[in-house]
């Protein structure tokens, strides 16, 4: 004898599914709020999927990268080049009147290929030749003059140990309700590595190139960092300051949280630690010109005029 079963009320299964879905959403939201390694990976994967499916569409290309690439190394020689070559390249770029020039290369020691250094290491018996070499300007002197003649930004790297070089930095105006003695919650470094004094003091700006990665992937970029308690803008922000001729940068804070940074007429909201999420675009070859083409005059001045020009290493086996 069969026992009659009461029919499922209308919407019963739908209601259960909704309850289960709501519970799962609450659990997921709680897990994300509490944080954890797997949560970070999930967020990173979701962020990467958005970048791949909906990359940033580029309307203008205000930055030109002068790449010390494989072709340049084959033509000019292995890296590092004598700094008088960099000086000549700076002079060529400056003739095109760019908005600013950034040299994303650290030069913490004098040029080992400069004539006076070679003379000190070699046994030169020809007295006239030795005197002629001593009379030549050093490569660092030539590069320093080229840096001073242009709106040039030099690189600074954060270190875990106190640095030996003098720290130069543009003023940062902190605005908002910051507590007494409270530093903004930005990346902290004990010291900095910069270029030699002869070059560093002739620059128009100094920008930090250090960035933390997540398992080798960059998704967030800092806008500011603290080096021994001094706020230092990152390289891109400092290039924008120099290009505009702005005397200082701005940072908006509440307590130790950062909400925005600005320079001149520009302003950006940030995450609490002063970082911004990078919205990547596809690779555009039009952004790049080869260093050897610049030196040989094969790059038109119109391609560099008014641009933010970044000089960097991209050649095989070199740190980009």
């Amino acid at each position: 004898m069969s026992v009659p079963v009461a029919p499922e009320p209308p919407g019963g299964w739908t209601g259960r599914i909704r309850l289960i879905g709501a519970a799962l959403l609450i659990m997921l939201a709680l897990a994300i709020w509490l944080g954890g390694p797997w949560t970070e990976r999930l967020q990173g994967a979701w962020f990467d999927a958005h970048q791949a499916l909906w990359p940033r569409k580029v309307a203008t290309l205000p930055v030109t990268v002068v790449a010390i690439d494989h072709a340049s190394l084959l033509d000019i020689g292995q890296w590092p080049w004598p700094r008088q070559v960099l000086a000549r390249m700076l002079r060529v770029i400056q003739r095109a009147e760019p908005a600013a020039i950034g040299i994303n290369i650290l030069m913490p020691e004098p040029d080992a290929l400069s004539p006076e250094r070679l003379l000190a290491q070699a046994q030169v018996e020809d007295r006239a030749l030795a005197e002629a070499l001593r009379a030549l300007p050093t490569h660092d002197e030539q590069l320093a003059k080229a840096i001073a003649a242009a709106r040039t930004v030099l690189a600074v790297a954060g270190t875990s140990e106190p640095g030996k070089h003098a720290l130069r930095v543009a003023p940062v105006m902190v605005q908002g309700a910051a507590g007494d003695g409270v530093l903004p919650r930005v990346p902290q470094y004990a010291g900095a590595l910069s270029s030699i004094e002869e070059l560093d003091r002739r620059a128009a700006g100094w920008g930090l190139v250090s960035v933390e990665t997540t398992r080798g992937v960059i998704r967030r970029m800092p806008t500011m960092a603290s080096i021994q308690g001094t706020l230092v803008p990152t390289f891109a922000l400092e290039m924008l300051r120099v290009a505009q001729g702005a005397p200082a940068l701005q940072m908006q804070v509440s307590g130790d949280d950062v909400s925005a940074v600005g320079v001149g007429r520009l302003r950006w909201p940030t995450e609490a630690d002063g970082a911004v999420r990078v919205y990547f675009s596809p690779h555009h070859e039009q952004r790049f010109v080869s260093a050897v083409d610049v030196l040989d005059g094969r790059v038109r001045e119109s391609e560099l005029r008014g641009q933010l020009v970044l000089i960097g290493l991209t050649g095989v086996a070199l740190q980009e």
Side-chain angles (χ1 to χ4, degrees):
M1 180 177 177
S2 61
V3 178
V5 178
E8 183 74 26
W13 282 108
T14 304
R16 290 180 186 177
I17 291 172
R18 286 176 178 171
L19 284 173
I20 293 170
L24 289 173
L25 283 175
I26 292 171
M27 291 172 62
L28 182 60
L30 182 62
I32 291 174
W33 181 71
L34 291 174
W38 72 271
T39 304
E40 183 182 333
R41 293 181 185 180
L42 180 63
Q43 289 175 329
W46 182 244
F47 185 76
D48 294 345
H50 274 266
Q51 299 272 23
L53 293 171
W54 300 284
R56 182 168 61 90
K57 294 181 179 180
V58 175
T60 60
L61 296 173
V63 177
T64 298
V65 178
V66 176
I68 299 173
D69 53 9
H70 188 59
S72 301
L73 297 176
L74 288 176
D75 189 279
I76 297 171
Q78 67 181 9
W79 185 261
W81 294 340
R83 287 181 191 159
Q84 56 92 8
V85 177
L86 286 178
R88 182 159 59 93
M89 185 159 61
L90 267 182
R91 290 193 293 269
V92 172
I93 296 170
Q94 179 58 21
R95 284 201 295 269
E97 299 179 354
I101 304 172
I103 304 178
N104 191 12
I105 301 166
L106 285 166
M107 295 172 280
E109 297 176 350
D111 186 2
L113 302 175
S114 196
E116 80 287 353
R117 299 288 297 276
L118 295 174
L119 183 62
Q121 298 169 15
Q123 297 285 335
V124 180
E125 297 181 359
D126 188 329
R127 187 172 180 179
L129 176 59
E131 291 299 326
L133 288 173
R134 288 193 186 95
L136 292 173
T138 70
H139 290 174
D140 289 320
E141 181 183 342
Q142 294 181 61
L143 181 54
K145 289 181 178 178
I147 287 171
R151 287 179 285 191
T152 309
V153 177
L154 294 183
V156 177
T159 62
S160 57
E161 299 292 334
K164 297 179 181 179
H165 296 83
L167 180 63
R168 287 185 171 82
V169 61
V172 179
M173 310 301 292
V174 179
Q175 304 164 341
D180 292 338
V182 175
L183 289 174
R185 184 155 58 94
V186 296
Q188 308 280 326
Y189 296 98
L193 182 66
S194 56
S195 296
I196 59 173
E197 174 70 10
E198 186 174 4
L199 305 177
D200 208 47
R201 63 186 173 85
R202 307 297 290 275
W206 308 268
L208 191 74
V209 294
S210 302
V211 61
E212 304 271 333
T213 66
T214 304
R215 288 179 290 278
V217 179
I218 295 174
R219 298 185 180 93
R220 302 167 72 249
M221 289 289 291
T223 57
M224 296 274 184
S226 173
I227 298 179
Q228 293 180 318
T230 298
L231 290 173
V232 180
T234 48
F235 201 79
L237 200 60
E238 181 68 347
M239 283 194 69
L240 288 172
R241 183 191 71 81
V242 171
Q244 295 183 73
L249 302 105
Q250 301 89 41
M251 173 183 280
Q252 187 73 35
V253 301
S254 177
D256 66 346
D257 286 347
V258 183
S259 59
V261 296
V263 55
R265 302 180 300 275
L266 305 173
R267 184 181 176 87
W268 304 269
T270 70
E271 297 184 0
D273 61 352
V276 293
R277 295 273 173 173
V278 183
Y279 189 9
F280 290 100
S281 68
H283 179 80
H284 289 274
E285 284 295 336
Q286 303 95 310
R287 284 194 175 109
F288 297 83
V289 295
S290 178
V292 68
D293 289 340
V294 172
L295 287 165
D296 290 347
R298 292 192 291 268
V299 176
R300 297 188 302 273
E301 288 190 358
S302 58
E303 296 180 59
L304 303 174
R305 183 168 295 116
Q307 292 288 98
L308 296 166
V309 177
L310 178 63
I311 300 173
L313 307 169
T314 65
V316 177
L318 296 178
Q319 178 72 32
E320 182 172 0

